[in-house]
Amino acid sequence: IPVSLFIDPDQAQIKAAAETQAQFIELHTGSYANAQGYDQERELKALRRGCELALEQDLRINAGHGLTYWNVRPVAELPGMEELNIGHSIMSRAILVGMERAVREMKLALLGQPF
Protein backbone atom coordinates (compact mmCIF):
# COMPACT_ATOMS: atom_id res chain seq x y z
CA ILE A 1 0.00 0.00 0.00
CA PRO A 2 1.59 3.30 -1.03
CA VAL A 3 1.94 5.69 1.91
CA SER A 4 1.88 9.47 1.65
CA LEU A 5 2.51 11.80 4.58
CA PHE A 6 1.02 15.32 4.60
CA ILE A 7 3.79 17.52 6.00
CA ASP A 8 5.22 21.01 5.99
CA PRO A 9 8.25 21.68 3.77
CA ASP A 10 10.44 21.33 6.84
CA GLN A 11 13.79 19.50 6.67
CA ALA A 12 13.20 17.50 9.84
CA GLN A 13 9.73 16.41 8.72
CA ILE A 14 10.99 15.40 5.28
CA LYS A 15 13.85 13.38 6.74
CA ALA A 16 11.46 11.73 9.22
CA ALA A 17 9.12 10.84 6.33
CA ALA A 18 12.01 9.17 4.53
CA GLU A 19 12.92 7.25 7.69
CA THR A 20 9.39 5.81 7.83
CA GLN A 21 9.91 4.51 4.29
CA ALA A 22 6.85 6.37 3.01
CA GLN A 23 6.81 6.51 -0.77
CA PHE A 24 5.25 9.98 -1.04
CA ILE A 25 5.03 13.21 0.81
CA GLU A 26 2.38 15.83 0.24
CA LEU A 27 3.80 19.23 1.01
CA HIS A 28 1.41 21.61 2.74
CA THR A 29 1.11 24.73 0.57
CA GLY A 30 -1.20 26.69 2.87
CA SER A 31 1.48 29.12 4.07
CA TYR A 32 2.44 29.84 0.46
CA ALA A 33 -1.21 30.24 -0.58
CA ASN A 34 -1.98 32.64 2.26
CA ALA A 35 1.14 34.79 1.82
CA GLN A 36 1.61 37.76 -0.48
CA GLY A 37 4.55 39.51 -2.11
CA TYR A 38 7.94 38.83 -0.52
CA ASP A 39 6.40 36.44 2.02
CA GLN A 40 4.94 34.33 -0.77
CA GLU A 41 8.33 34.19 -2.51
CA ARG A 42 9.91 33.09 0.78
CA GLU A 43 7.30 30.32 1.16
CA LEU A 44 7.87 29.20 -2.44
CA LYS A 45 11.61 28.99 -1.75
CA ALA A 46 10.89 26.83 1.30
CA LEU A 47 8.75 24.54 -0.88
CA ARG A 48 11.56 24.35 -3.45
CA ARG A 49 14.12 23.43 -0.79
CA GLY A 50 11.67 20.84 0.54
CA CYS A 51 11.29 19.32 -2.91
CA GLU A 52 15.02 19.19 -3.45
CA LEU A 53 15.56 17.44 -0.11
CA ALA A 54 12.68 15.04 -0.75
CA LEU A 55 14.22 14.04 -4.08
CA GLU A 56 17.57 13.47 -2.35
CA GLN A 57 15.71 11.20 0.10
CA ASP A 58 14.08 9.26 -2.77
CA LEU A 59 10.61 10.51 -1.87
CA ARG A 60 7.95 11.23 -4.47
CA ILE A 61 6.28 14.62 -4.12
CA ASN A 62 2.70 15.89 -4.16
CA ALA A 63 1.41 19.17 -2.74
CA GLY A 64 -1.77 20.92 -1.82
CA HIS A 65 -3.87 23.19 0.37
CA GLY A 66 -5.08 26.61 -0.65
CA LEU A 67 -3.94 26.37 -4.27
CA THR A 68 -5.97 28.41 -6.73
CA TYR A 69 -6.02 29.32 -10.41
CA TRP A 70 -3.79 32.30 -9.59
CA ASN A 71 -1.08 30.71 -7.44
CA VAL A 72 -0.82 27.12 -8.71
CA ARG A 73 1.71 27.41 -11.54
CA PRO A 74 4.85 28.13 -9.47
CA VAL A 75 4.08 25.10 -7.29
CA ALA A 76 3.43 22.90 -10.33
CA GLU A 77 6.87 23.85 -11.65
CA LEU A 78 8.76 22.76 -8.52
CA PRO A 79 11.28 19.97 -9.06
CA GLY A 80 9.81 16.50 -8.72
CA MET A 81 6.21 17.68 -8.33
CA GLU A 82 3.87 14.89 -9.43
CA GLU A 83 0.39 15.77 -8.24
CA LEU A 84 -1.45 18.79 -6.89
CA ASN A 85 -4.55 18.63 -4.73
CA ILE A 86 -6.67 21.61 -5.77
CA GLY A 87 -10.20 20.30 -5.51
CA HIS A 88 -11.70 23.12 -3.46
CA SER A 89 -10.73 25.80 -5.95
CA ILE A 90 -12.01 23.79 -8.91
CA MET A 91 -15.29 22.90 -7.19
CA SER A 92 -15.89 26.52 -6.17
CA ARG A 93 -15.30 27.69 -9.73
CA ALA A 94 -17.49 24.89 -11.12
CA ILE A 95 -20.49 26.27 -9.23
CA LEU A 96 -20.24 29.37 -11.41
CA VAL A 97 -19.07 28.00 -14.77
CA GLY A 98 -19.63 24.23 -14.71
CA MET A 99 -17.18 21.41 -14.07
CA GLU A 100 -15.90 21.03 -17.62
CA ARG A 101 -14.93 24.69 -17.90
CA ALA A 102 -13.51 24.82 -14.37
CA VAL A 103 -11.20 21.88 -15.09
CA ARG A 104 -10.23 23.26 -18.50
CA GLU A 105 -9.34 26.61 -16.89
CA MET A 106 -7.22 24.91 -14.22
CA LYS A 107 -5.33 23.03 -16.91
CA LEU A 108 -4.64 26.35 -18.63
CA ALA A 109 -3.53 27.91 -15.32
CA LEU A 110 -1.11 25.04 -14.78
CA LEU A 111 0.41 25.79 -18.18
CA GLY A 112 0.56 29.53 -17.50
CA GLN A 113 -1.94 30.30 -20.25
CA PRO A 114 -4.82 32.78 -19.95
CA PHE A 115 -8.27 31.40 -19.37
Side-chain angles (χ1 to χ4, degrees):
I1 298 172
V3 174
S4 178
L5 303 176
F6 186 54
I7 61 174
D8 286 321
D10 172 79
Q11 283 191 357
Q13 290 183 34
I14 294 167
K15 288 177 182 178
E19 289 173 13
T20 69
Q21 298 182 346
Q23 290 89 356
F24 288 89
I25 57 171
E26 180 176 338
L27 293 177
H28 180 258
T29 55
S31 295
Y32 162 79
N34 291 327
Q36 295 179 356
Y38 173 78
D39 291 336
Q40 190 172 54
E41 287 299 316
R42 184 188 70 233
E43 294 297 334
L44 185 62
K45 286 178 185 177
L47 287 164
R48 179 175 300 283
R49 286 190 305 270
C51 288
E52 291 166 353
L53 178 59
L55 290 171
E56 290 171 13
Q57 301 290 315
D58 294 321
L59 291 164
R60 296 174 68 185
I61 308 162
N62 300 327
H65 192 85
L67 296 175
T68 68
Y69 292 82
W70 298 273
N71 67 13
V72 71
R73 181 137 194 241
V75 176
E77 293 176 332
L78 291 171
M81 191 59 61
E82 291 189 33
E83 182 178 295
L84 298 171
N85 293 300
I86 44 181
H88 184 268
S89 187
I90 292 171
M91 294 304 294
S92 297
R93 180 80 175 139
I95 291 170
L96 300 173
V97 301
M99 184 60 76
E100 182 179 331
R101 180 172 166 189
V103 171
R104 183 174 55 249
E105 289 175 353
M106 181 56 76
K107 286 180 175 182
L108 291 171
L110 286 165
L111 297 171
Q113 297 178 4
F115 54 92

